Amino acid sequence: PVCAVYTALTATNFIVQIRDKQGKTVMEKSVENNNEPKQLIQISISTLPAGVYSLSCEQDGKIFSSKFVVVE
């Protein structure tokens, strides 16, 4: 599983997306902000094949992203 700690910018909800190396969205999760300064979001990647992926969080029009690798 992947765990990401995301610092909420405002009290609005946000979207977490995982894209493959071709840019195709393979997972997406809408997250309700609970007004905590940090939230732990867990997304299982057990069904993803080996490869390079990008994880992004979008809130209020701002996108924060990072890459990760799934190995067999």
Side-chain angles (χ1 to χ4, degrees), residues 25-69:
T25 300
V26 294
M27 287 188 186
E28 183 171 297
K29 182 176 184 176
S30 293
V31 180
E32 188 174 317
N33 188 324
N34 59 10
N35 291 321
E36 294 292 326
K38 290 188 178 181
Q39 293 188 55
L40 180 65
I41 302 149
Q42 295 184 356
I43 299 175
S44 174
I45 58 167
S46 60
T47 60
L48 292 178
V52 178
Y53 296 88
S54 67
L55 171 73
S56 65
C57 295
E58 180 179 350
Q59 184 179 32
D60 294 334
K62 296 182 176 155
I63 300 172
F64 305 90
S65 64
S66 126
K67 292 188 177 187
F68 65 95
V69 177

